[in-house]
Amino acid sequence: GRRIGDLAQGLDEGGVVAGDGGVVLGGVAERRGGEPGTLGVVEAILVPILAQGRVLGVFSAAIIDSGRRLDEPQRELLQALGRQAGLIVQNSQLYESAERLRRQAEEASVAKDQFFANVSHELRTPLTLSLAPLEEMLARGPALEAATRDEFLQTIYNNQLRLLRLINNLLDFSRLDAG
């Protein structure tokens, strides 16, 4: 595209020139009729604030009643400021996005920790309830009455079934989560 400075060289007193770096308005005060109380703007530049190719806003600069015009270095400075402002906005948006992702990861980590704490408790309960009768059976050995032994074996069996169901549910959940 054509540079704003090249375009502004041919700007007459009442002209408007647009290019990649902004819009230059010439003779603004004259078009307003030079009314008392006006700012007396001789020339103004509107510079887009861009981020990722999108216009986020515009800032302006003006020459007021000095008889001067915006020269090329001034235009380039203003255009650089527009680009920098766009980068600042873009970096701010990236930072906010990174912070949001960090918070989501932190929340997922807390949820994962809570899940594993719950799973550990649920698995530990049937294991503990199976170990107590086994320890008693081992301690008493052959002196254990048949009815008590059968009751202990039933308790162990029921808790092992519960443990198996919990593990199967975990595996099912893992498969669903994997897709």
Side-chain angles (χ1 to χ4, degrees), residues 96-123:
E96 288 174 8
S97 177
E99 275 298 301
R100 185 175 54 255
L101 291 172
R102 184 195 59 76
R103 283 191 304 274
Q104 289 173 347
E106 193 174 281
E107 290 169 5
S109 179
V110 168
K112 177 192 64 126
D113 291 346
Q114 184 62 44
F115 173 77
F116 281 117
N118 290 342
V119 166
S120 296
H121 176 73
E122 290 298 320
L123 294 176

mmCIF file with all atom_site columns, all heavy atoms in Angstrom, residues 96-123:
data_model
loop_
_atom_site.group_PDB
_atom_site.id
_atom_site.type_symbol
_atom_site.label_atom_id
_atom_site.label_alt_id
_atom_site.label_comp_id
_atom_site.label_asym_id
_atom_site.label_entity_id
_atom_site.label_seq_id
_atom_site.pdbx_PDB_ins_code
_atom_site.Cartn_x
_atom_site.Cartn_y
_atom_site.Cartn_z
_atom_site.occupancy
_atom_site.B_iso_or_equiv
_atom_site.pdbx_formal_charge
_atom_site.auth_seq_id
_atom_site.auth_comp_id
_atom_site.auth_asym_id
_atom_site.auth_atom_id
_atom_site.pdbx_PDB_model_num
ATOM 1   N N   . GLU A 1 96  ? -4.439  -12.227 29.620 1.00 0.00 ? 96  GLU A N   1
ATOM 2   C CA  . GLU A 1 96  ? -5.727  -12.605 30.201 1.00 0.00 ? 96  GLU A CA  1
ATOM 3   C C   . GLU A 1 96  ? -6.105  -14.033 29.810 1.00 0.00 ? 96  GLU A C   1
ATOM 4   O O   . GLU A 1 96  ? -6.611  -14.798 30.629 1.00 0.00 ? 96  GLU A O   1
ATOM 5   C CB  . GLU A 1 96  ? -6.816  -11.624 29.771 1.00 0.00 ? 96  GLU A CB  1
ATOM 6   C CG  . GLU A 1 96  ? -6.707  -10.269 30.423 1.00 0.00 ? 96  GLU A CG  1
ATOM 7   C CD  . GLU A 1 96  ? -7.702  -9.261  29.871 1.00 0.00 ? 96  GLU A CD  1
ATOM 8   O OE1 . GLU A 1 96  ? -8.596  -9.647  29.084 1.00 0.00 ? 96  GLU A OE1 1
ATOM 9   O OE2 . GLU A 1 96  ? -7.583  -8.085  30.226 1.00 0.00 ? 96  GLU A OE2 1
ATOM 10  N N   . SER A 1 97  ? -5.850  -14.382 28.564 1.00 0.00 ? 97  SER A N   1
ATOM 11  C CA  . SER A 1 97  ? -6.149  -15.736 28.096 1.00 0.00 ? 97  SER A CA  1
ATOM 12  C C   . SER A 1 97  ? -5.284  -16.761 28.829 1.00 0.00 ? 97  SER A C   1
ATOM 13  O O   . SER A 1 97  ? -5.774  -17.811 29.256 1.00 0.00 ? 97  SER A O   1
ATOM 14  C CB  . SER A 1 97  ? -5.913  -15.816 26.584 1.00 0.00 ? 97  SER A CB  1
ATOM 15  O OG  . SER A 1 97  ? -6.120  -17.116 26.113 1.00 0.00 ? 97  SER A OG  1
ATOM 16  N N   . ALA A 1 98  ? -3.994  -16.451 28.979 1.00 0.00 ? 98  ALA A N   1
ATOM 17  C CA  . ALA A 1 98  ? -3.092  -17.363 29.698 1.00 0.00 ? 98  ALA A CA  1
ATOM 18  C C   . ALA A 1 98  ? -3.513  -17.501 31.161 1.00 0.00 ? 98  ALA A C   1
ATOM 19  O O   . ALA A 1 98  ? -3.483  -18.606 31.716 1.00 0.00 ? 98  ALA A O   1
ATOM 20  C CB  . ALA A 1 98  ? -1.654  -16.867 29.601 1.00 0.00 ? 98  ALA A CB  1
ATOM 21  N N   . GLU A 1 99  ? -3.925  -16.410 31.775 1.00 0.00 ? 99  GLU A N   1
ATOM 22  C CA  . GLU A 1 99  ? -4.386  -16.460 33.165 1.00 0.00 ? 99  GLU A CA  1
ATOM 23  C C   . GLU A 1 99  ? -5.652  -17.311 33.289 1.00 0.00 ? 99  GLU A C   1
ATOM 24  O O   . GLU A 1 99  ? -5.796  -18.087 34.227 1.00 0.00 ? 99  GLU A O   1
ATOM 25  C CB  . GLU A 1 99  ? -4.664  -15.043 33.695 1.00 0.00 ? 99  GLU A CB  1
ATOM 26  C CG  . GLU A 1 99  ? -3.460  -14.344 34.225 1.00 0.00 ? 99  GLU A CG  1
ATOM 27  C CD  . GLU A 1 99  ? -2.844  -15.066 35.409 1.00 0.00 ? 99  GLU A CD  1
ATOM 28  O OE1 . GLU A 1 99  ? -3.518  -15.266 36.430 1.00 0.00 ? 99  GLU A OE1 1
ATOM 29  O OE2 . GLU A 1 99  ? -1.674  -15.455 35.285 1.00 0.00 ? 99  GLU A OE2 1
ATOM 30  N N   . ARG A 1 100 ? -6.569  -17.160 32.335 1.00 0.00 ? 100 ARG A N   1
ATOM 31  C CA  . ARG A 1 100 ? -7.801  -17.951 32.351 1.00 0.00 ? 100 ARG A CA  1
ATOM 32  C C   . ARG A 1 100 ? -7.465  -19.444 32.221 1.00 0.00 ? 100 ARG A C   1
ATOM 33  O O   . ARG A 1 100 ? -7.995  -20.278 32.944 1.00 0.00 ? 100 ARG A O   1
ATOM 34  C CB  . ARG A 1 100 ? -8.736  -17.490 31.227 1.00 0.00 ? 100 ARG A CB  1
ATOM 35  C CG  . ARG A 1 100 ? -10.083 -18.165 31.236 1.00 0.00 ? 100 ARG A CG  1
ATOM 36  C CD  . ARG A 1 100 ? -11.042 -17.612 30.180 1.00 0.00 ? 100 ARG A CD  1
ATOM 37  N NE  . ARG A 1 100 ? -10.499 -17.638 28.831 1.00 0.00 ? 100 ARG A NE  1
ATOM 38  C CZ  . ARG A 1 100 ? -10.042 -16.585 28.155 1.00 0.00 ? 100 ARG A CZ  1
ATOM 39  N NH1 . ARG A 1 100 ? -10.062 -15.392 28.695 1.00 0.00 ? 100 ARG A NH1 1
ATOM 40  N NH2 . ARG A 1 100 ? -9.559  -16.716 26.933 1.00 0.00 ? 100 ARG A NH2 1
ATOM 41  N N   . LEU A 1 101 ? -6.541  -19.776 31.315 1.00 0.00 ? 101 LEU A N   1
ATOM 42  C CA  . LEU A 1 101 ? -6.130  -21.169 31.134 1.00 0.00 ? 101 LEU A CA  1
ATOM 43  C C   . LEU A 1 101 ? -5.426  -21.703 32.380 1.00 0.00 ? 101 LEU A C   1
ATOM 44  O O   . LEU A 1 101 ? -5.628  -22.852 32.779 1.00 0.00 ? 101 LEU A O   1
ATOM 45  C CB  . LEU A 1 101 ? -5.227  -21.309 29.909 1.00 0.00 ? 101 LEU A CB  1
ATOM 46  C CG  . LEU A 1 101 ? -5.907  -21.103 28.564 1.00 0.00 ? 101 LEU A CG  1
ATOM 47  C CD1 . LEU A 1 101 ? -4.872  -21.075 27.444 1.00 0.00 ? 101 LEU A CD1 1
ATOM 48  C CD2 . LEU A 1 101 ? -6.951  -22.170 28.310 1.00 0.00 ? 101 LEU A CD2 1
ATOM 49  N N   . ARG A 1 102 ? -4.603  -20.860 33.023 1.00 0.00 ? 102 ARG A N   1
ATOM 50  C CA  . ARG A 1 102 ? -3.914  -21.266 34.248 1.00 0.00 ? 102 ARG A CA  1
ATOM 51  C C   . ARG A 1 102 ? -4.932  -21.572 35.352 1.00 0.00 ? 102 ARG A C   1
ATOM 52  O O   . ARG A 1 102 ? -4.831  -22.573 36.047 1.00 0.00 ? 102 ARG A O   1
ATOM 53  C CB  . ARG A 1 102 ? -2.939  -20.177 34.710 1.00 0.00 ? 102 ARG A CB  1
ATOM 54  C CG  . ARG A 1 102 ? -2.105  -20.581 35.927 1.00 0.00 ? 102 ARG A CG  1
ATOM 55  C CD  . ARG A 1 102 ? -1.419  -19.405 36.583 1.00 0.00 ? 102 ARG A CD  1
ATOM 56  N NE  . ARG A 1 102 ? -2.326  -18.377 37.037 1.00 0.00 ? 102 ARG A NE  1
ATOM 57  C CZ  . ARG A 1 102 ? -3.078  -18.449 38.130 1.00 0.00 ? 102 ARG A CZ  1
ATOM 58  N NH1 . ARG A 1 102 ? -3.058  -19.522 38.877 1.00 0.00 ? 102 ARG A NH1 1
ATOM 59  N NH2 . ARG A 1 102 ? -3.865  -17.444 38.474 1.00 0.00 ? 102 ARG A NH2 1
ATOM 60  N N   . ARG A 1 103 ? -5.945  -20.695 35.496 1.00 0.00 ? 103 ARG A N   1
ATOM 61  C CA  . ARG A 1 103 ? -6.987  -20.922 36.514 1.00 0.00 ? 103 ARG A CA  1
ATOM 62  C C   . ARG A 1 103 ? -7.762  -22.203 36.224 1.00 0.00 ? 103 ARG A C   1
ATOM 63  O O   . ARG A 1 103 ? -8.069  -22.978 37.130 1.00 0.00 ? 103 ARG A O   1
ATOM 64  C CB  . ARG A 1 103 ? -7.935  -19.729 36.582 1.00 0.00 ? 103 ARG A CB  1
ATOM 65  C CG  . ARG A 1 103 ? -7.379  -18.530 37.321 1.00 0.00 ? 103 ARG A CG  1
ATOM 66  C CD  . ARG A 1 103 ? -8.443  -17.474 37.595 1.00 0.00 ? 103 ARG A CD  1
ATOM 67  N NE  . ARG A 1 103 ? -9.126  -17.002 36.406 1.00 0.00 ? 103 ARG A NE  1
ATOM 68  C CZ  . ARG A 1 103 ? -8.705  -16.013 35.612 1.00 0.00 ? 103 ARG A CZ  1
ATOM 69  N NH1 . ARG A 1 103 ? -7.585  -15.398 35.884 1.00 0.00 ? 103 ARG A NH1 1
ATOM 70  N NH2 . ARG A 1 103 ? -9.404  -15.656 34.561 1.00 0.00 ? 103 ARG A NH2 1
ATOM 71  N N   . GLN A 1 104 ? -8.066  -22.449 34.950 1.00 0.00 ? 104 GLN A N   1
ATOM 72  C CA  . GLN A 1 104 ? -8.784  -23.668 34.579 1.00 0.00 ? 104 GLN A CA  1
ATOM 73  C C   . GLN A 1 104 ? -7.939  -24.897 34.894 1.00 0.00 ? 104 GLN A C   1
ATOM 74  O O   . GLN A 1 104 ? -8.464  -25.901 35.393 1.00 0.00 ? 104 GLN A O   1
ATOM 75  C CB  . GLN A 1 104 ? -9.158  -23.646 33.097 1.00 0.00 ? 104 GLN A CB  1
ATOM 76  C CG  . GLN A 1 104 ? -10.248 -22.669 32.763 1.00 0.00 ? 104 GLN A CG  1
ATOM 77  C CD  . GLN A 1 104 ? -10.496 -22.534 31.268 1.00 0.00 ? 104 GLN A CD  1
ATOM 78  O OE1 . GLN A 1 104 ? -9.701  -22.981 30.442 1.00 0.00 ? 104 GLN A OE1 1
ATOM 79  N NE2 . GLN A 1 104 ? -11.597 -21.894 30.911 1.00 0.00 ? 104 GLN A NE2 1
ATOM 80  N N   . ALA A 1 105 ? -6.641  -24.835 34.617 1.00 0.00 ? 105 ALA A N   1
ATOM 81  C CA  . ALA A 1 105 ? -5.750  -25.960 34.914 1.00 0.00 ? 105 ALA A CA  1
ATOM 82  C C   . ALA A 1 105 ? -5.659  -26.183 36.420 1.00 0.00 ? 105 ALA A C   1
ATOM 83  O O   . ALA A 1 105 ? -5.649  -27.328 36.892 1.00 0.00 ? 105 ALA A O   1
ATOM 84  C CB  . ALA A 1 105 ? -4.363  -25.714 34.328 1.00 0.00 ? 105 ALA A CB  1
ATOM 85  N N   . GLU A 1 106 ? -5.614  -25.095 37.166 1.00 0.00 ? 106 GLU A N   1
ATOM 86  C CA  . GLU A 1 106 ? -5.568  -25.195 38.627 1.00 0.00 ? 106 GLU A CA  1
ATOM 87  C C   . GLU A 1 106 ? -6.852  -25.828 39.163 1.00 0.00 ? 106 GLU A C   1
ATOM 88  O O   . GLU A 1 106 ? -6.799  -26.693 40.045 1.00 0.00 ? 106 GLU A O   1
ATOM 89  C CB  . GLU A 1 106 ? -5.372  -23.792 39.212 1.00 0.00 ? 106 GLU A CB  1
ATOM 90  C CG  . GLU A 1 106 ? -5.009  -23.765 40.664 1.00 0.00 ? 106 GLU A CG  1
ATOM 91  C CD  . GLU A 1 106 ? -4.692  -22.351 41.111 1.00 0.00 ? 106 GLU A CD  1
ATOM 92  O OE1 . GLU A 1 106 ? -3.579  -21.890 40.827 1.00 0.00 ? 106 GLU A OE1 1
ATOM 93  O OE2 . GLU A 1 106 ? -5.577  -21.723 41.723 1.00 0.00 ? 106 GLU A OE2 1
ATOM 94  N N   . GLU A 1 107 ? -7.991  -25.409 38.639 1.00 0.00 ? 107 GLU A N   1
ATOM 95  C CA  . GLU A 1 107 ? -9.272  -25.980 39.054 1.00 0.00 ? 107 GLU A CA  1
ATOM 96  C C   . GLU A 1 107 ? -9.342  -27.467 38.693 1.00 0.00 ? 107 GLU A C   1
ATOM 97  O O   . GLU A 1 107 ? -9.837  -28.276 39.475 1.00 0.00 ? 107 GLU A O   1
ATOM 98  C CB  . GLU A 1 107 ? -10.431 -25.222 38.399 1.00 0.00 ? 107 GLU A CB  1
ATOM 99  C CG  . GLU A 1 107 ? -10.612 -23.820 38.936 1.00 0.00 ? 107 GLU A CG  1
ATOM 100 C CD  . GLU A 1 107 ? -11.570 -22.984 38.111 1.00 0.00 ? 107 GLU A CD  1
ATOM 101 O OE1 . GLU A 1 107 ? -12.185 -23.518 37.150 1.00 0.00 ? 107 GLU A OE1 1
ATOM 102 O OE2 . GLU A 1 107 ? -11.705 -21.783 38.415 1.00 0.00 ? 107 GLU A OE2 1
ATOM 103 N N   . ALA A 1 108 ? -8.837  -27.826 37.519 1.00 0.00 ? 108 ALA A N   1
ATOM 104 C CA  . ALA A 1 108 ? -8.825  -29.235 37.102 1.00 0.00 ? 108 ALA A CA  1
ATOM 105 C C   . ALA A 1 108 ? -7.922  -30.048 38.025 1.00 0.00 ? 108 ALA A C   1
ATOM 106 O O   . ALA A 1 108 ? -8.257  -31.188 38.378 1.00 0.00 ? 108 ALA A O   1
ATOM 107 C CB  . ALA A 1 108 ? -8.364  -29.361 35.657 1.00 0.00 ? 108 ALA A CB  1
ATOM 108 N N   . SER A 1 109 ? -6.807  -29.470 38.425 1.00 0.00 ? 109 SER A N   1
ATOM 109 C CA  . SER A 1 109 ? -5.887  -30.169 39.326 1.00 0.00 ? 109 SER A CA  1
ATOM 110 C C   . SER A 1 109 ? -6.535  -30.411 40.683 1.00 0.00 ? 109 SER A C   1
ATOM 111 O O   . SER A 1 109 ? -6.415  -31.500 41.259 1.00 0.00 ? 109 SER A O   1
ATOM 112 C CB  . SER A 1 109 ? -4.603  -29.364 39.484 1.00 0.00 ? 109 SER A CB  1
ATOM 113 O OG  . SER A 1 109 ? -3.726  -30.019 40.372 1.00 0.00 ? 109 SER A OG  1
ATOM 114 N N   . VAL A 1 110 ? -7.241  -29.413 41.203 1.00 0.00 ? 110 VAL A N   1
ATOM 115 C CA  . VAL A 1 110 ? -7.945  -29.565 42.483 1.00 0.00 ? 110 VAL A CA  1
ATOM 116 C C   . VAL A 1 110 ? -9.027  -30.635 42.354 1.00 0.00 ? 110 VAL A C   1
ATOM 117 O O   . VAL A 1 110 ? -9.171  -31.493 43.234 1.00 0.00 ? 110 VAL A O   1
ATOM 118 C CB  . VAL A 1 110 ? -8.542  -28.210 42.933 1.00 0.00 ? 110 VAL A CB  1
ATOM 119 C CG1 . VAL A 1 110 ? -9.511  -28.384 44.087 1.00 0.00 ? 110 VAL A CG1 1
ATOM 120 C CG2 . VAL A 1 110 ? -7.434  -27.251 43.309 1.00 0.00 ? 110 VAL A CG2 1
ATOM 121 N N   . ALA A 1 111 ? -9.769  -30.610 41.254 1.00 0.00 ? 111 ALA A N   1
ATOM 122 C CA  . ALA A 1 111 ? -10.824 -31.616 41.033 1.00 0.00 ? 111 ALA A CA  1
ATOM 123 C C   . ALA A 1 111 ? -10.221 -33.017 40.931 1.00 0.00 ? 111 ALA A C   1
ATOM 124 O O   . ALA A 1 111 ? -10.765 -33.978 41.481 1.00 0.00 ? 111 ALA A O   1
ATOM 125 C CB  . ALA A 1 111 ? -11.616 -31.284 39.772 1.00 0.00 ? 111 ALA A CB  1
ATOM 126 N N   . LYS A 1 112 ? -9.086  -33.124 40.239 1.00 0.00 ? 112 LYS A N   1
ATOM 127 C CA  . LYS A 1 112 ? -8.402  -34.419 40.110 1.00 0.00 ? 112 LYS A CA  1
ATOM 128 C C   . LYS A 1 112 ? -7.953  -34.928 41.474 1.00 0.00 ? 112 LYS A C   1
ATOM 129 O O   . LYS A 1 112 ? -8.157  -36.099 41.814 1.00 0.00 ? 112 LYS A O   1
ATOM 130 C CB  . LYS A 1 112 ? -7.206  -34.294 39.167 1.00 0.00 ? 112 LYS A CB  1
ATOM 131 C CG  . LYS A 1 112 ? -6.389  -35.576 39.021 1.00 0.00 ? 112 LYS A CG  1
ATOM 132 C CD  . LYS A 1 112 ? -5.075  -35.327 38.313 1.00 0.00 ? 112 LYS A CD  1
ATOM 133 C CE  . LYS A 1 112 ? -4.263  -34.426 39.137 1.00 0.00 ? 112 LYS A CE  1
ATOM 134 N NZ  . LYS A 1 112 ? -2.988  -34.681 39.559 1.00 0.00 ? 112 LYS A NZ  1
ATOM 135 N N   . ASP A 1 113 ? -7.356  -34.042 42.270 1.00 0.00 ? 113 ASP A N   1
ATOM 136 C CA  . ASP A 1 113 ? -6.907  -34.435 43.612 1.00 0.00 ? 113 ASP A CA  1
ATOM 137 C C   . ASP A 1 113 ? -8.078  -34.905 44.470 1.00 0.00 ? 113 ASP A C   1
ATOM 138 O O   . ASP A 1 113 ? -7.972  -35.905 45.185 1.00 0.00 ? 113 ASP A O   1
ATOM 139 C CB  . ASP A 1 113 ? -6.185  -33.272 44.303 1.00 0.00 ? 113 ASP A CB  1
ATOM 140 C CG  . ASP A 1 113 ? -4.850  -32.942 43.667 1.00 0.00 ? 113 ASP A CG  1
ATOM 141 O OD1 . ASP A 1 113 ? -4.340  -33.765 42.855 1.00 0.00 ? 113 ASP A OD1 1
ATOM 142 O OD2 . ASP A 1 113 ? -4.316  -31.846 43.953 1.00 0.00 ? 113 ASP A OD2 1
ATOM 143 N N   . GLN A 1 114 ? -9.192  -34.184 44.399 1.00 0.00 ? 114 GLN A N   1
ATOM 144 C CA  . GLN A 1 114 ? -10.384 -34.568 45.169 1.00 0.00 ? 114 GLN A CA  1
ATOM 145 C C   . GLN A 1 114 ? -10.927 -35.913 44.686 1.00 0.00 ? 114 GLN A C   1
ATOM 146 O O   . GLN A 1 114 ? -11.317 -36.760 45.484 1.00 0.00 ? 114 GLN A O   1
ATOM 147 C CB  . GLN A 1 114 ? -11.463 -33.484 45.056 1.00 0.00 ? 114 GLN A CB  1
ATOM 148 C CG  . GLN A 1 114 ? -12.684 -33.753 45.899 1.00 0.00 ? 114 GLN A CG  1
ATOM 149 C CD  . GLN A 1 114 ? -12.373 -33.807 47.376 1.00 0.00 ? 114 GLN A CD  1
ATOM 150 O OE1 . GLN A 1 114 ? -11.638 -32.983 47.893 1.00 0.00 ? 114 GLN A OE1 1
ATOM 151 N NE2 . GLN A 1 114 ? -12.900 -34.803 48.066 1.00 0.00 ? 114 GLN A NE2 1
ATOM 152 N N   . PHE A 1 115 ? -10.916 -36.101 43.363 1.00 0.00 ? 115 PHE A N   1
ATOM 153 C CA  . PHE A 1 115 ? -11.384 -37.358 42.797 1.00 0.00 ? 115 PHE A CA  1
ATOM 154 C C   . PHE A 1 115 ? -10.544 -38.529 43.317 1.00 0.00 ? 115 PHE A C   1
ATOM 155 O O   . PHE A 1 115 ? -11.072 -39.545 43.759 1.00 0.00 ? 115 PHE A O   1
ATOM 156 C CB  . PHE A 1 115 ? -11.329 -37.289 41.264 1.00 0.00 ? 115 PHE A CB  1
ATOM 157 C CG  . PHE A 1 115 ? -11.636 -38.589 40.578 1.00 0.00 ? 115 PHE A CG  1
ATOM 158 C CD1 . PHE A 1 115 ? -12.940 -39.029 40.468 1.00 0.00 ? 115 PHE A CD1 1
ATOM 159 C CD2 . PHE A 1 115 ? -10.617 -39.369 40.057 1.00 0.00 ? 115 PHE A CD2 1
ATOM 160 C CE1 . PHE A 1 115 ? -13.231 -40.233 39.837 1.00 0.00 ? 115 PHE A CE1 1
ATOM 161 C CE2 . PHE A 1 115 ? -10.893 -40.566 39.433 1.00 0.00 ? 115 PHE A CE2 1
ATOM 162 C CZ  . PHE A 1 115 ? -12.203 -41.005 39.321 1.00 0.00 ? 115 PHE A CZ  1
ATOM 163 N N   . PHE A 1 116 ? -9.210  -38.369 43.269 1.00 0.00 ? 116 PHE A N   1
ATOM 164 C CA  . PHE A 1 116 ? -8.345  -39.458 43.731 1.00 0.00 ? 116 PHE A CA  1
ATOM 165 C C   . PHE A 1 116 ? -8.468  -39.692 45.233 1.00 0.00 ? 116 PHE A C   1
ATOM 166 O O   . PHE A 1 116 ? -8.376  -40.835 45.693 1.00 0.00 ? 116 PHE A O   1
ATOM 167 C CB  . PHE A 1 116 ? -6.886  -39.211 43.334 1.00 0.00 ? 116 PHE A CB  1
ATOM 168 C CG  . PHE A 1 116 ? -6.625  -39.557 41.895 1.00 0.00 ? 116 PHE A CG  1
ATOM 169 C CD1 . PHE A 1 116 ? -6.234  -38.589 41.000 1.00 0.00 ? 116 PHE A CD1 1
ATOM 170 C CD2 . PHE A 1 116 ? -6.798  -40.856 41.434 1.00 0.00 ? 116 PHE A CD2 1
ATOM 171 C CE1 . PHE A 1 116 ? -6.007  -38.907 39.662 1.00 0.00 ? 116 PHE A CE1 1
ATOM 172 C CE2 . PHE A 1 116 ? -6.582  -41.185 40.099 1.00 0.00 ? 116 PHE A CE2 1
ATOM 173 C CZ  . PHE A 1 116 ? -6.180  -40.197 39.220 1.00 0.00 ? 116 PHE A CZ  1
ATOM 174 N N   . ALA A 1 117 ? -8.709  -38.638 45.999 1.00 0.00 ? 117 ALA A N   1
ATOM 175 C CA  . ALA A 1 117 ? -8.933  -38.813 47.437 1.00 0.00 ? 117 ALA A CA  1
ATOM 176 C C   . ALA A 1 117 ? -10.203 -39.627 47.674 1.00 0.00 ? 117 ALA A C   1
ATOM 177 O O   . ALA A 1 117 ? -10.222 -40.547 48.508 1.00 0.00 ? 117 ALA A O   1
ATOM 178 C CB  . ALA A 1 117 ? -9.013  -37.458 48.127 1.00 0.00 ? 117 ALA A CB  1
ATOM 179 N N   . ASN A 1 118 ? -11.259 -39.321 46.926 1.00 0.00 ? 118 ASN A N   1
ATOM 180 C CA  . ASN A 1 118 ? -12.517 -40.067 47.063 1.00 0.00 ? 118 ASN A CA  1
ATOM 181 C C   . ASN A 1 118 ? -12.349 -41.522 46.625 1.00 0.00 ? 118 ASN A C   1
ATOM 182 O O   . ASN A 1 118 ? -12.842 -42.439 47.288 1.00 0.00 ? 118 ASN A O   1
ATOM 183 C CB  . ASN A 1 118 ? -13.624 -39.404 46.246 1.00 0.00 ? 118 ASN A CB  1
ATOM 184 C CG  . ASN A 1 118 ? -14.067 -38.090 46.827 1.00 0.00 ? 118 ASN A CG  1
ATOM 185 O OD1 . ASN A 1 118 ? -13.819 -37.791 47.989 1.00 0.00 ? 118 ASN A OD1 1
ATOM 186 N ND2 . ASN A 1 118 ? -14.703 -37.271 46.017 1.00 0.00 ? 118 ASN A ND2 1
ATOM 187 N N   . VAL A 1 119 ? -11.656 -41.722 45.500 1.00 0.00 ? 119 VAL A N   1
ATOM 188 C CA  . VAL A 1 119 ? -11.435 -43.076 44.996 1.00 0.00 ? 119 VAL A CA  1
ATOM 189 C C   . VAL A 1 119 ? -10.623 -43.886 45.999 1.00 0.00 ? 119 VAL A C   1
ATOM 190 O O   . VAL A 1 119 ? -10.939 -45.049 46.292 1.00 0.00 ? 119 VAL A O   1
ATOM 191 C CB  . VAL A 1 119 ? -10.751 -43.047 43.613 1.00 0.00 ? 119 VAL A CB  1
ATOM 192 C CG1 . VAL A 1 119 ? -10.216 -44.416 43.225 1.00 0.00 ? 119 VAL A CG1 1
ATOM 193 C CG2 . VAL A 1 119 ? -11.722 -42.546 42.561 1.00 0.00 ? 119 VAL A CG2 1
ATOM 194 N N   . SER A 1 120 ? -9.570  -43.278 46.544 1.00 0.00 ? 120 SER A N   1
ATOM 195 C CA  . SER A 1 120 ? -8.730  -43.984 47.524 1.00 0.00 ? 120 SER A CA  1
ATOM 196 C C   . SER A 1 120 ? -9.557  -44.428 48.722 1.00 0.00 ? 120 SER A C   1
ATOM 197 O O   . SER A 1 120 ? -9.424  -45.554 49.201 1.00 0.00 ? 120 SER A O   1
ATOM 198 C CB  . SER A 1 120 ? -7.598  -43.073 48.006 1.00 0.00 ? 120 SER A CB  1
ATOM 199 O OG  . SER A 1 120 ? -6.745  -42.770 46.940 1.00 0.00 ? 120 SER A OG  1
ATOM 200 N N   . HIS A 1 121 ? -10.413 -43.528 49.198 1.00 0.00 ? 121 HIS A N   1
ATOM 201 C CA  . HIS A 1 121 ? -11.265 -43.873 50.342 1.00 0.00 ? 121 HIS A CA  1
ATOM 202 C C   . HIS A 1 121 ? -12.210 -45.023 49.991 1.00 0.00 ? 121 HIS A C   1
ATOM 203 O O   . HIS A 1 121 ? -12.371 -45.970 50.764 1.00 0.00 ? 121 HIS A O   1
ATOM 204 C CB  . HIS A 1 121 ? -12.060 -42.647 50.787 1.00 0.00 ? 121 HIS A CB  1
ATOM 205 C CG  . HIS A 1 121 ? -13.020 -42.934 51.870 1.00 0.00 ? 121 HIS A CG  1
ATOM 206 N ND1 . HIS A 1 121 ? -12.636 -43.169 53.168 1.00 0.00 ? 121 HIS A ND1 1
ATOM 207 C CD2 . HIS A 1 121 ? -14.373 -43.073 51.840 1.00 0.00 ? 121 HIS A CD2 1
ATOM 208 C CE1 . HIS A 1 121 ? -13.702 -43.426 53.901 1.00 0.00 ? 121 HIS A CE1 1
ATOM 209 N NE2 . HIS A 1 121 ? -14.769 -43.374 53.122 1.00 0.00 ? 121 HIS A NE2 1
ATOM 210 N N   . GLU A 1 122 ? -12.834 -44.913 48.810 1.00 0.00 ? 122 GLU A N   1
ATOM 211 C CA  . GLU A 1 122 ? -13.791 -45.953 48.398 1.00 0.00 ? 122 GLU A CA  1
ATOM 212 C C   . GLU A 1 122 ? -13.113 -47.309 48.208 1.00 0.00 ? 122 GLU A C   1
ATOM 213 O O   . GLU A 1 122 ? -13.717 -48.346 48.485 1.00 0.00 ? 122 GLU A O   1
ATOM 214 C CB  . GLU A 1 122 ? -14.507 -45.538 47.113 1.00 0.00 ? 122 GLU A CB  1
ATOM 215 C CG  . GLU A 1 122 ? -15.471 -44.395 47.294 1.00 0.00 ? 122 GLU A CG  1
ATOM 216 C CD  . GLU A 1 122 ? -16.614 -44.728 48.246 1.00 0.00 ? 122 GLU A CD  1
ATOM 217 O OE1 . GLU A 1 122 ? -17.139 -45.864 48.192 1.00 0.00 ? 122 GLU A OE1 1
ATOM 218 O OE2 . GLU A 1 122 ? -16.965 -43.851 49.040 1.00 0.00 ? 122 GLU A OE2 1
ATOM 219 N N   . LEU A 1 123 ? -11.883 -47.337 47.736 1.00 0.00 ? 123 LEU A N   1
ATOM 220 C CA  . LEU A 1 123 ? -11.166 -48.603 47.550 1.00 0.00 ? 123 LEU A CA  1
ATOM 221 C C   . LEU A 1 123 ? -10.628 -49.143 48.879 1.00 0.00 ? 123 LEU A C   1
ATOM 222 O O   . LEU A 1 123 ? -10.602 -50.357 49.099 1.00 0.00 ? 123 LEU A O   1
ATOM 223 C CB  . LEU A 1 123 ? -10.016 -48.431 46.558 1.00 0.00 ? 123 LEU A CB  1
ATOM 224 C CG  . LEU A 1 123 ? -10.414 -48.122 45.114 1.00 0.00 ? 123 LEU A CG  1
ATOM 225 C CD1 . LEU A 1 123 ? -9.168  -47.873 44.270 1.00 0.00 ? 123 LEU A CD1 1
ATOM 226 C CD2 . LEU A 1 123 ? -11.259 -49.224 44.511 1.00 0.00 ? 123 LEU A CD2 1
#
